[in-house]
Amino acid sequence: VFMYLFSSSLFAKENLNRMSERQLNLYDRLINEPSNDWDIYYWATEAKPTPAVFENDVMAMLKEFVKNKNREQRLRQPDLEYLFESPR
């Protein structure tokens, strides 16, 4: 779960500022509705199928991010200043 949460914070830093309001609502629902973070981890890593209610473009973005195709070093969580930056 730690690696999912770690990836999730990096995902948020890279994507929240460019998400539409609809996507932000989907993301909020994804990170708050499932009662078990392991479920989100398994869906994001495609170890288990994503339930239809969470299968959307935000989940697709998260799955792509988790694959880390560019082999970026993701050794620490981002600083939280990005939460207070104005949108680009």
Side-chain angles (χ1 to χ4, degrees):
V1 170
F2 172 75
M3 286 311 295
Y4 158 71
L5 294 173
F6 183 68
S7 288
S8 181
S9 63
L10 291 169
F11 173 82
K13 180 180 181 184
E14 289 189 18
N15 292 284
L16 288 183
N17 282 338
R18 49 185 159 174
M19 284 185 182
S20 68
E21 185 173 344
R22 182 188 68 78
Q23 289 173 319
L24 289 171
N25 288 331
L26 290 171
Y27 182 71
D28 183 66
R29 185 175 175 196
L30 173 65
I31 64 172
N32 288 305
E33 280 190 19
S35 61
N36 188 340
D37 284 340
W38 279 107
D39 290 335
I40 302 170
Y41 170 82
Y42 290 133
W43 304 334
T45 59
E46 301 183 78
K48 292 185 178 179
T50 305
V53 68
F54 295 113
E55 192 63 68
N56 54 55
D57 54 326
V58 173
M59 178 55 80
M61 291 167 59
L62 181 58
K63 287 177 181 180
E64 274 305 303
F65 183 81
V66 169
K67 289 177 185 175
N68 195 14
K69 290 181 179 178
N70 294 331
R71 304 235 182 245
E72 298 169 325
Q73 283 194 337
R74 298 175 176 169
L75 301 176
R76 67 182 206 85
Q77 289 188 306
D79 296 327
L80 298 179
E81 285 83 16
Y82 75 92
L83 294 173
F84 305 103
E85 295 172 359
S86 58
R88 296 175 212 165

